[in-house]
Amino acid sequence: MSTIGAAGVELGRPDMIVSDGVDKWYGDFQALKGVSATIAEREVVVVLGPSGSGKSTWIRCINRLEVHQGGSISVDGIELTNDTRNIDKIRSEVGMVFQQFNLFPHLTVMDNITLAPRWVRKQPKADAENRAMELLERVGIPEQAAKFPGQLSGGQQQRVAIARSLAMEPRVMLFDEPTSALDPEMISEVLDVMKDLARGGMTMMVVTHEMGFAREVADRIVFMESGEIVEVGTPEHFFTNPTEDRTKLFLSQIL
Amino acid sequence: MTMTETPSSRIEVSAKPPFYRDVTIVKWLVQLAVLAAVIFVAWFLANEAGDNIRARGLTSGFEFLSQPAGFQVSDGIDDNPATGGRALWVGMVTTLRLAIAGILSATVLGIIVGLGRLSNNWVVNKVATVFVETLRNIPLLVQIFLYFTILSGLSRVALDTGPINGWLHVSNKGVAIPRIKIADGFYQWLVLMVIGAFIARFVFKNRVAEQERTGNDSFALPIAAAVLAAIGVIAWFIHPIIGFLEAPLWAISDVLDGIPQIAVQLGLVALFFLAAARFVKNFRDSRRTPAGMAALTDDDWFRQIFAFVAAAMASVFVLIIWPGLSDWIVNSSSDLFGVLADKFGTNPETGADRSGAPFAGERPDIVQRGNFPNYGDSGLQMSQAWAAIFFAVTFYTAAFIAEIIRGGILAVAKGQSEAAAALGLSRMQALRKVILPQAFRIVLPPIGNQYLNLTKNTSLAVAVGLADVVQVGGTINSQSGKALSVFVIWMAFYLACSLTISVIVNFFNVRMKIVER
Amino acid sequence: MENSQPAPLALDPDHFNVDFTAESDLEALPPEEPGLAPKEWMQKNLFSSVGSTILTIIFSIFALWALRGLFGFMFSGERRWDAVATNARLIAVERYPLDQFNRIWFSLGSLLAMAGLSMAFFRASGYFTLKRIAMWLMNLGVLGLLGVILTPGAKTEVPPVVEGELPTFIQDSFGEAIGGRIVWILVSLVTLGIGLALWYGLGEDRRRTMRIASRWVIAAGFGLAVLSLWVVPYGRYFLENGVATSEPGLVAASTRIPWTIMWATFVGALLLGLALRDRIPARPPKMILGLLWLLAPFILNWIVLRDPDFDYDHVFSTDIPMALAFMLVGGALLYWLSNAGIGEKGKIVSIILLAFALFNWVAGFFGIYPMLQKARLSFLFLGLFALIAGNFSRDVRTRMNYVYAWMGSMAIFHWLVTAVNSPSTLDITSDTYLGGMTLTIFVAWLTLLVSFPLGVLFALARTSDMPIFRLLSTTYIEAVRGVPLITILFFFSVIIPLFLPEGMELAEVAAVVVGYGLFSAAYLAENVRGGLQSIRRGQFEAADALGLTSGQRTSFIVLPQALRVSIPPLVGQSIATFKETSLLAIIGLNDLLRVANNTIPSQTDFVGSKKEGLLVVSAIYFGVSFAMSKYSQRLEKRLGLGTR
């Protein structure tokens, strides 16, 4: 059992995500073993760990793409339960970016971005499209609005995916290995957008293998292994002076 | 693990949400509502049908199976069936004969045409293409009518009756060829052959073990085949000794007949609840983890409860809604053993001499039927209708099978033929050793589908008056008005055929996969 | 993604490319092997080895024998093609009254106009390269020459014409009947010549790149067929005092003007569509055309062809007020329900509405309180409309559009139901105003319309994560796929009346369409399921993460992609459905096949001439199925390119 302390107390900001003793099984394999953490508003947390350590499962539980079986998760004071109203609220407050982009291939970039604002937020079409153009400019590809995802490069697709999530004006953004499926030369364009977002004060949870990004942007780093949080700390603490042996081993393999 | 007091403890403590907002409950409520609606509609329709049937003086039920048929059946194993059940059986046999003959010939023709479609030879290729494109784009029924009409235009049967000297006779009455027929002693002989097959298998395994031990070729297969053949010959003469089976089979039949209805019903109910309990046990096992039982979600609970609800519903069905079902199961299994018993020993009633030879050869003959000469019972005749439907389903299905085979070979051939060529295999070798075995796996499921289609398509025999199971059922319906019962029989028969074919195809499919590894 | 890339050739100024280019095809032309000299070609394709040579000889003999048989059959003196010619009207529309024939022409004209406009707006047109056209012409020429050589000689014995008996018209070989085979030789040679001229006149490059959009080939072929009505002396057959009589000369004076108008309608619509499509926004005309294709079978069948005899007293006193009430009150209710702030109150109201609608049925069945069937259905629609109201709670315009959609569908629905319930003015028995081709076409079309939504529903249920839905749908699909269609048709035409409550009747055609629809829905469901299973998990997750409801996820994300993947198998299923309409003949409806197989041979003048009619019917079925399957292959290629 492991816990990150109440970040809100230290930072003087309210808590955004509270994960309390979250358990998750796949058949008889326990993927999450009582994961507890609290993430404050405007905090950027990078989750590191070897593959199969449960980090993706964890952030997918926060968006209820996976249903946790023990413990509790709440986002912005709303607990994730079977209550449809809470699920809808949390989904519209939490944006998610996937490893495989998961853009809708049959819709144009513009339609990809405006779909949810129009049908979930019930925004008029013109407003949604104006907002979408702003977001596309922010991620640097306003000229691609009329194209289909299949006509874009991987980096561009991932930036569209980020814009698509931002269009719902979420209070939290979750990134599930956003650069793992990209060619090396495209990684930086996506990371730049994410850094920009972090500077803007977005609460972010990022699962990634990009150590440079973690060191530069993260407020805190969470290291997970076999379904447990092993160590938590600032980037400085984490990269220069880790306390746990398992963390040291991981860092020696990866750096 | 402790929760620290936070300045922002704004968490709404999770009281259970109201039921109409709970994901799991809503999901199951919707499903149960739809299920209830389906059951209501079914019940309502059945009720309505019952009223209408009574109003029209019709009765439902299956009495016609044991009542005199009162009509003749053409082209079947029995022209003048005694009961409605027998008539339906005759129709089923006709359907099965058509289906099996059609499947065999369509497969052969389909493979030839499919390979022709891939041929480098321009003429062969074009002929195959025209065959496929024409035949698969003309509806089967149109083809049946066309072939039937063309066959009607053939010359008449000559007037001189008697056995036909020759092997093949074609006329406007159809086609006739000699045949080998199952004779009275066949079933006794078959039992001995099954025993013989086990002996041959034992010999085969023995020889294979011998070969593995010594390394010498032990001729396992030829020896086993010789043993089986020898047993077959011996059994030909000694099969009457199996006649004693008659008595025990009758005994089983009698015992079954004596089982009271309530016992069967209770047995079925017990079976349903056992199945539900088994499901729940397996389900809980799958949720059990080394760390103990995983927390069960509401959804999981619903599943377990629903298993028992389903068992209870099935029990209500056999106990209250259709109590006759249990009776029917007992009676028909009793009858089945009676029929089996009839195949053994001597039965003075049917007058069949079970001690005779298992097979007999026959040549077709021509006899006077009413005012016209026609083929007699001897030999194998395809009547005009039979031939029309047989050729139609063969050609039609062959066209589809050809396309499947072509697609399968093309799918494999792309990379594999190059690899085979790189290894120095010739074109023919590559085809036989590399491409065909792989293509076989790809084409097997869709070809199985075509077999199913062919079997169902034989039902169009009704259009040219061939007495298959649909036509006989239709006749029974128009005589007794028992449409629902007839439909149930059709459905059961065709579902049984479909299941049999899928089981066979799946068997080969699995075999191929094992071979691949 | 179809219009996202311009056709590569259209941009290339080097290629000769008049407006005939089909814009929809993206296929780049593959480099072709250089043409072989005839001798080399034969060596490669006919005589590459001893085995191949033997095969060539055997199959050539077989093919020539089969051709000779076919030609001999077609042009034999025994063939009574006049049976088909005389009964052409019977084959097309069975016994639709002659004085009402304008209704048939109007229906056909509407369909052709819609087809022409659709070809233009949906850009659903391939192309034929001149190379292929040249090849066709050459093949036709050779086939014609072969026919002249192969066809068996003329029958020399002409049966004597007996007074009072039916004269046989075409007793001679085809040659003598048209002034000797020399005509055919000339025609074949000219065709061959044009083909050769095209082939060699253009040269390798141009015959591959010059091409004609298939819509113009269709228009030209149609035009030629119509033109031939004016020119070729087909001979005219008619029945006079029960005796078939032939009259040489110009054919079908009664149909050549209408057919010309039909052709003009088609070409006019095509030209109009082409002229308009780049000047007006693309979506509205496409949507209108789609709606028309959906509604056309109902309107044409029940209103145009059936000509309902409206009881105007009843219409004004009951039908119109009722429709207006539903339109206005329902519209107001829906407008209120699509109010953004309505929250859960809206859901509760819509569920109450649905429950009320269902209760109406139950109450009706038990005879508690009577109500017009139309009203019950309208309440059901209202409930369904109310359920999706939340999706339109945006600005006033969206809400009003939603209300207009309700009003429009109510108006059409009430109009159609009133028409169906009114007796027909045609003086033939109620049910049989359709027959021949018209019956075949309408049954196929209605079946597709019925089975498509059902099939999608079953597919969704079978792939859903709700076990009871899965169980019900799987049971249904497997049970239906396990039995032959004919048993289901028997079942529906015989048993349906037993199931209906007292006083309710269903026309036999309608019962059959329901049976067909339920049958083919099971097959369609399997095709759609294939498409649904091809969608990756991530698409569902992305939709969930964006907060779409499961209904929105299904209709915006899942189905559009799944249906796109399943288009080729769906077209295949449509072909199968079209072919299966021939089974109508077995259950005694006068469709195309039954007219040829039963009606014509039972006429005293044409006793036993079945083969001719059956061959013509085969040709019709073949033509339609073959064209559809070729179109499906092209579509498959195009979709394969589009999705990457």
Side-chain angles (χ1 to χ4, degrees):
Chain A
M1 300 285 167
S2 44
T3 311
I4 318 185
V9 179
E10 294 155 26
L11 297 168
R13 292 195 293 245
D15 290 346
M16 184 55 87
I17 302 172
V18 178
S19 162
D20 183 6
V22 171
D23 292 324
K24 169 82 189 168
W25 283 271
Y26 292 111
D28 49 10
F29 169 72
Q30 188 167 12
L32 294 179
K33 301 170 184 164
V35 176
S36 296
T38 308
I39 293 160
E41 212 177 292
R42 300 207 297 281
E43 193 178 14
V44 178
V45 171
V46 170
V47 185
L48 296 178
S51 59
S53 61
K55 47 196 196 310
S56 283
T57 308
W58 185 34
I59 76 164
R60 287 159 62 84
C61 279
I62 293 172
N63 208 2
R64 211 183 147 97
L65 290 177
E66 307 279 351
V67 182
H68 59 283
Q69 287 148 332
S72 72
I73 296 173
S74 58
V75 178
D76 199 18
I78 308 159
E79 188 179 354
L80 258 185
T81 60
N82 270 342
D83 191 339
T84 46
R85 187 192 277 176
N86 289 6
I87 297 172
D88 289 347
K89 263 192 203 160
I90 287 182
R91 287 221 170 122
S92 60
E93 293 220 347
V94 178
M96 175 118 185
V97 176
F98 300 87
Q99 182 179 359
Q100 296 294 342
F101 328 135
N102 291 346
L103 291 177
F104 306 130
H106 62 298
L107 301 176
T108 61
V109 166
M110 177 57 84
D111 289 339
N112 259 286
I113 299 175
T114 55
L115 182 77
R118 285 179 61 200
W119 291 95
V120 180
R121 290 253 191 260
K122 306 279 157 58
Q123 289 175 6
K125 192 178 174 198
D127 295 1
E129 286 186 348
N130 289 338
R131 173 83 185 126
M133 277 318 286
E134 280 170 31
L135 286 169
L136 280 176
E137 265 158 40
R138 189 161 153 197
V139 300
I141 39 174
E143 71 283 358
Q144 312 285 11
K147 289 199 181 162
F148 285 93
Q151 296 166 304
L152 304 182
S153 72
Q156 289 172 326
Q157 288 194 46
Q158 194 60 298
R159 285 188 277 163
V160 172
I162 295 174
R164 181 175 71 175
S165 293
L166 290 176
M168 289 293 283
E169 299 181 350
R171 304 195 52 177
V172 179
M173 286 285 284
L174 308 175
F175 292 86
D176 187 3
E177 308 205 15
T179 54
S180 302
L182 293 177
D183 291 338
E185 71 270 20
M186 293 172 182
I187 291 178
S188 67
E189 60 186 59
V190 172
L191 290 182
D192 286 344
V193 171
M194 289 167 64
K195 285 175 197 165
D196 184 47
L197 210 55
R199 276 195 292 273
M202 175 67 75
T203 312
M204 288 165 66
M205 259 181 96
V206 185
V207 172
T208 185
H209 297 294
E210 294 297 324
M211 294 302 152
F213 175 81
R215 199 189 290 255
E216 184 185 339
V217 182
D219 294 319
R220 278 188 300 166
I221 290 178
V222 175
F223 175 68
M224 288 182 76
E225 200 184 287
S226 41
E228 291 171 310
I229 293 182
V230 175
E231 188 165 3
V232 180
T234 60
E236 198 181 339
H237 161 84
F238 190 83
F239 284 109
T240 56
N241 191 19
T243 46
E244 299 284 329
D245 289 341
R246 284 190 280 179
T247 319
K248 285 177 193 161
L249 183 66
F250 173 74
L251 286 175
S252 69
Q253 282 165 347
I254 206 160
L255 290 179
Chain B
M1 176 194 71
T2 50
M3 265 308 294
T4 346
E5 281 292 318
T6 59
S8 58
S9 50
R10 292 172 298 159
I11 301 171
E12 299 158 5
V13 175
S14 57
K16 260 267 187 233
F19 76 91
Y20 59 84
R21 288 209 324 246
D22 188 305
V23 180
T24 315
I25 295 180
V26 166
K27 198 175 102 179
W28 281 90
L29 275 184
V30 170
Q31 293 186 71
L32 288 175
V34 171
L35 184 66
V38 169
I39 290 176
F40 171 77
V41 169
W43 170 79
F44 176 80
L45 289 179
N47 212 18
E48 203 63 52
D51 286 351
N52 281 319
I53 285 169
R54 253 163 273 137
R56 293 175 198 205
L58 304 172
T59 49
S60 59
F62 291 89
E63 305 84 24
F64 61 85
L65 288 179
S66 50
Q67 284 165 357
F71 56 89
Q72 299 217 323
V73 176
S74 62
D75 288 325
I77 49 171
D78 186 349
D79 279 351
N80 206 352
T83 62
R86 173 72 181 167
L88 274 169
W89 172 245
V90 174
M92 287 178 193
V93 171
T94 302
T95 300
L96 289 177
R97 281 158 85 176
L98 259 178
I100 293 169
I103 283 174
L104 293 177
S105 50
T107 309
V108 173
L109 188 59
I111 291 175
I112 294 172
V113 176
L115 293 178
R117 284 273 274 155
L118 292 166
S119 169
N120 283 342
N121 187 305
W122 188 84
V123 182
V124 176
N125 194 318
K126 286 297 160 204
V127 169
T129 307
V130 169
F131 176 91
V132 168
E133 291 294 1
T134 316
L135 290 172
R136 72 171 178 173
N137 280 316
I138 297 177
L140 182 61
L141 187 59
V142 179
Q143 291 189 38
I144 291 174
F145 280 146
L146 203 56
Y147 301 152
F148 187 75
T149 317
I150 291 173
L151 283 169
S152 325
L154 292 175
S155 57
R156 298 198 177 102
V157 180
L159 269 169
D160 45 338
T161 53
I164 300 164
N165 285 329
W167 294 96
L168 177 71
H169 195 267
V170 183
S171 72
N172 71 339
K173 296 291 180 191
V175 182
I177 53 171
R179 71 161 168 180
I180 295 171
K181 189 184 156 190
I182 290 174
D184 290 337
F186 176 74
Y187 294 93
Q188 298 183 150
W189 181 80
L190 188 67
V191 171
L192 285 176
M193 278 310 279
V194 171
I195 298 169
F198 277 106
I199 297 173
R201 191 180 141 90
F202 174 75
V203 171
F204 179 75
K205 290 218 159 156
N206 213 341
R207 298 311 299 172
V208 170
E210 176 80 11
Q211 179 176 352
E212 280 170 3
R213 201 164 47 80
T214 61
N216 295 330
D217 193 345
S218 66
F219 306 106
L221 200 61
I223 290 177
V227 168
L228 188 63
I231 293 174
V233 172
I234 296 168
W236 188 288
F237 298 103
I238 64 159
H239 69 78
I241 59 165
I242 292 296
F244 73 87
L245 278 177
E246 188 186 6
L249 284 170
W250 276 121
I252 296 174
S253 171
D254 289 344
V255 168
L256 282 173
D257 222 12
I259 298 177
Q261 176 178 340
I262 188 72
V264 180
Q265 284 176 323
L266 291 181
L268 283 173
V269 169
L271 202 71
F272 294 144
F273 277 94
L274 267 179
R278 212 183 138 76
F279 170 80
V280 169
K281 185 177 168 293
N282 287 343
F283 185 79
R284 292 183 79 89
D285 282 350
S286 73
R287 289 291 193 276
R288 191 159 284 137
T289 69
M293 194 70 186
L296 289 178
T297 60
D298 295 357
D299 206 70
D300 297 341
W301 284 112
F302 270 111
R303 270 163 211 254
Q304 297 176 36
I305 294 168
F306 190 74
F308 282 101
V309 171
M313 278 176 4
S315 306
V316 168
F317 182 78
V318 293
L319 287 176
I320 298 164
I321 298 180
W322 191 8
L325 174 69
S326 321
D327 241 6
W328 182 78
I329 292 175
V330 174
N331 286 340
S332 43
S333 37
S334 162
D335 288 353
L336 180 69
F337 277 97
V339 169
L340 277 179
D342 201 34
K343 304 290 183 198
F344 296 95
T346 46
N347 189 336
E349 276 177 40
T350 53
D353 178 15
R354 295 292 175 198
S355 59
F359 296 105
E362 274 183 353
R363 279 183 165 192
D365 57 356
I366 290 177
V367 295
Q368 196 82 19
R369 283 250 173 99
N371 291 327
F372 303 101
N374 201 337
Y375 297 120
D377 293 331
S378 183
L380 184 64
Q381 313 96 33
M382 277 200 249
S383 72
Q384 190 189 343
W386 217 97
I389 186 121
F390 169 72
F391 286 121
V393 290
T394 299
F395 289 157
Y396 191 69
T397 313
F400 284 94
I401 289 181
E403 278 308 89
I404 293 169
I405 294 212
R406 171 170 169 263
I409 291 179
L410 281 181
V412 176
K414 266 184 185 165
Q416 294 284 314
S417 59
E418 282 171 16
L423 288 172
L425 296 176
S426 77
R427 214 177 110 82
M428 221 35 220
Q429 280 172 326
L431 194 68
R432 262 213 338 261
K433 306 269 181 193
V434 180
I435 296 172
L436 281 184
Q438 296 183 63
F440 190 72
R441 241 171 352 101
I442 299 178
V443 302
L444 202 54
I447 285 188
N449 237 341
Q450 288 303 323
Y451 290 165
L452 290 180
N453 286 344
L454 187 146
T455 308
K456 288 183 277 171
N457 280 338
T458 56
S459 63
L460 294 183
V462 71
V464 284
L466 182 67
D468 75 329
V469 63
V470 174
Q471 210 255 2
V472 173
T475 311
I476 289 176
N477 171 41
S478 60
Q479 281 188 356
S480 63
K482 292 193 176 104
L484 199 58
S485 315
V486 168
F487 186 74
V488 168
I489 291 175
W490 281 342
M491 195 141 170
F493 171 71
Y494 280 107
L495 286 182
C497 289
S498 304
L499 277 178
T500 314
I501 292 177
S502 347
V503 165
I504 293 172
V505 169
N506 271 339
F507 172 76
F508 280 108
N509 218 359
V510 170
R511 286 285 293 235
M512 292 310 289
K513 273 183 187 142
I514 292 168
V515 169
E516 191 197 13
R517 257 178 230 152
Chain C
M1 258 165 269
E2 55 190 87
N3 331 330
S4 52
Q5 285 178 350
L9 283 173
L11 294 177
D12 195 341
D14 290 344
H15 290 298
F16 174 75
N17 235 327
V18 271
D19 73 320
F20 291 144
T21 317
E23 49 286 284
S24 52
D25 87 272
L26 310 175
E27 297 154 68
L29 293 171
E32 198 182 69
E33 338 170 8
L36 294 170
K39 197 181 153 197
E40 289 161 356
W41 182 89
M42 279 166 70
Q43 206 152 37
K44 183 162 172 262
N45 291 314
L46 297 179
F47 308 110
S48 59
S49 65
V50 181
S52 179
T53 310
I54 294 172
L55 276 181
T56 304
I57 293 168
I58 293 174
F59 274 79
S60 303
I61 292 172
F62 171 74
L64 291 178
W65 171 78
L67 264 183
R68 183 184 151 91
L70 184 68
F71 283 126
F73 179 82
M74 284 171 63
F75 297 116
S76 152
E78 292 169 20
R79 287 288 83 74
R80 297 288 306 270
W81 294 109
D82 54 330
V84 178
T86 308
N87 288 299
R89 184 155 53 84
L90 215 52
I91 289 176
V93 296
E94 228 242 328
R95 60 185 95 154
Y96 200 82
L98 260 182
D99 54 339
Q100 299 286 324
F101 238 59
N102 284 340
R103 295 175 180 280
I104 300 275
W105 291 119
F106 175 79
S107 305
L108 185 62
S110 329
L111 293 186
L112 286 173
M114 277 155 64
L117 286 172
S118 301
M119 273 186 182
F121 279 114
F122 288 99
R123 294 160 201 264
S125 174
Y127 68 91
F128 294 100
T129 53
L130 288 189
K131 181 182 169 186
R132 256 176 84 190
I133 293 175
M135 200 103 94
W136 274 8
L137 290 175
M138 290 192 289
N139 284 345
L140 268 180
V142 173
L143 205 65
L145 287 178
L146 274 178
V148 171
I149 300 163
L150 287 174
T151 304
K155 258 208 157 87
T156 43
E157 304 163 45
V158 178
V161 181
V162 185
E163 193 70 30
E165 264 187 37
L166 180 73
T168 17
F169 308 118
I170 310 177
Q171 303 142 330
D172 313 324
S173 79
F174 78 107
E176 284 171 43
I178 326 173
R181 298 182 182 200
I182 195 77
V183 176
W184 283 102
I185 296 178
L186 280 179
V187 170
S188 307
L189 280 178
V190 168
T191 317
L192 184 61
I194 297 175
L196 283 172
L198 266 180
W199 184 266
Y200 288 105
L202 288 172
E204 182 65 31
D205 269 352
R206 287 208 293 171
R207 71 170 174 251
R208 280 180 56 215
T209 51
M210 279 173 69
R211 50 197 192 170
I212 299 177
S214 51
R215 51 172 170 264
W216 298 121
V217 178
I218 293 170
F222 186 16
L224 276 180
V226 172
L227 187 69
S228 73
L229 282 176
W230 292 87
V231 182
V232 179
Y234 284 113
R236 177 167 114 181
Y237 304 96
F238 55 89
L239 289 166
E240 198 173 78
N241 304 327
V243 176
T245 317
S246 90
E247 181 183 288
L250 292 185
V251 95
S254 60
T255 59
R256 68 186 172 203
I257 291 176
W259 272 116
T260 312
I261 298 173
M262 292 300 115
W263 180 77
T265 313
F266 175 70
V267 175
L270 193 54
L271 288 172
L272 182 72
L274 289 176
L276 281 180
R277 80 168 177 214
D278 294 323
R279 305 209 175 110
I280 57 177
R283 263 171 68 88
K286 280 189 188 178
M287 281 175 65
I288 292 172
L289 277 171
L291 199 65
L292 278 180
W293 282 110
L294 279 183
L295 286 176
F298 300 102
I299 294 179
L300 292 182
N301 184 14
W302 274 292
I303 294 181
V304 177
L305 289 182
R306 192 167 167 275
D307 189 25
D309 185 12
F310 288 110
D311 173 4
Y312 282 102
D313 287 344
H314 192 265
V315 167
F316 284 115
S317 66
T318 314
D319 295 319
I320 290 182
M322 191 164 132
L324 279 177
F326 271 107
M327 284 163 72
L328 297 176
V329 179
L333 186 71
L334 291 177
Y335 186 77
W336 174 69
L337 278 174
S338 62
N339 177 3
I342 195 149
E344 263 148 27
K345 221 190 309 172
K347 247 181 211 157
I348 293 169
V349 169
S350 56
I351 285 175
I352 290 175
L353 266 176
L354 257 185
F356 176 66
L358 293 176
F359 171 73
N360 283 336
W361 293 89
V362 179
F365 281 141
F366 287 108
I368 295 176
Y369 69 89
M371 182 191 254
L372 283 179
Q373 202 73 273
K374 199 162 51 170
R376 288 202 194 107
L377 280 168
S378 304
F379 274 120
L380 194 65
F381 282 136
L382 186 62
L384 293 176
F385 257 80
L387 265 191
I388 57 165
N391 282 334
F392 302 93
S393 57
R394 226 169 295 147
D395 44 3
V396 176
R397 231 185 94 202
T398 321
R399 289 170 71 188
M400 280 319 288
N401 282 344
Y402 163 62
V403 172
Y404 292 146
W406 160 255
M407 290 180 165
S409 27
M410 264 302 103
I412 293 174
F413 171 73
H414 277 255
W415 180 41
L416 278 175
V417 173
T418 311
V420 172
N421 283 336
S422 305
S424 168
T425 54
L426 303 177
D427 61 346
I428 38 179
T429 39
S430 64
D431 215 31
T432 51
Y433 64 95
L434 288 183
M437 280 284 276
T438 48
L439 182 68
T440 299
I441 290 171
F442 276 112
V443 167
W445 198 350
L446 286 172
T447 301
L448 285 177
L449 286 186
V450 170
S451 61
F452 189 76
L454 276 179
V456 171
L457 210 65
F458 285 130
L460 286 174
R462 195 171 181 178
T463 50
S464 86
D465 55 353
M466 307 207 185
I468 296 183
F469 286 177
R470 246 183 358 238
L471 183 79
L472 287 176
S473 154
T474 310
T475 313
Y476 175 82
I477 292 174
E478 293 308 328
V480 168
R481 277 161 41 97
V483 297
L485 173 58
I486 185 68
T487 59
I488 290 186
L489 290 184
F490 273 146
F491 183 73
F492 273 85
S493 60
V494 174
I495 299 193
I496 277 275
L498 293 182
F499 281 132
L500 291 178
E502 198 113 352
M504 193 171 152
E505 276 183 24
L506 203 59
E508 193 176 13
V509 178
V512 163
V513 167
V514 171
Y516 261 119
L518 288 174
F519 178 81
S520 106
Y523 285 82
L524 267 166
E526 284 302 274
N527 293 332
V528 176
R529 185 165 73 114
L532 286 172
Q533 283 171 340
S534 73
I535 295 174
R536 278 176 312 183
R537 196 72 229 143
Q539 294 290 313
F540 290 82
E541 290 178 351
D544 283 343
L546 285 171
L548 298 181
T549 65
S550 56
Q552 289 168 342
R553 183 183 69 197
T554 307
S555 46
F556 296 143
I557 308 300
V558 179
L559 273 186
Q561 295 185 54
L563 291 181
R564 175 177 287 249
V565 176
S566 10
I567 284 176
L570 286 178
V571 176
Q573 184 55 38
S574 312
I575 298 174
T577 302
F578 176 70
K579 284 192 292 181
E580 276 159 2
T581 53
S582 57
L583 264 65
L584 289 171
I586 300 185
I587 53 171
L589 287 169
N590 279 316
D591 78 327
L592 185 57
L593 177 56
R594 196 176 157 85
V595 168
N597 191 56
N598 298 37
T599 315
I600 297 178
S602 65
Q603 292 169 342
T604 41
D605 303 321
F606 304 113
V607 176
S609 29
K610 257 188 200 182
K611 290 174 201 162
E612 296 82 357
L614 285 174
L615 266 187
V616 169
V617 169
S618 307
I620 293 173
Y621 272 112
F622 172 79
V624 176
S625 310
F626 185 70
M628 271 163 88
S629 71
K630 283 285 159 205
Y631 182 67
S632 150
Q633 282 170 14
R634 206 172 68 85
L635 214 59
E636 204 165 342
K637 240 188 232 168
R638 212 173 84 183
L639 289 173
L641 278 174
T643 39
R644 293 195 201 170

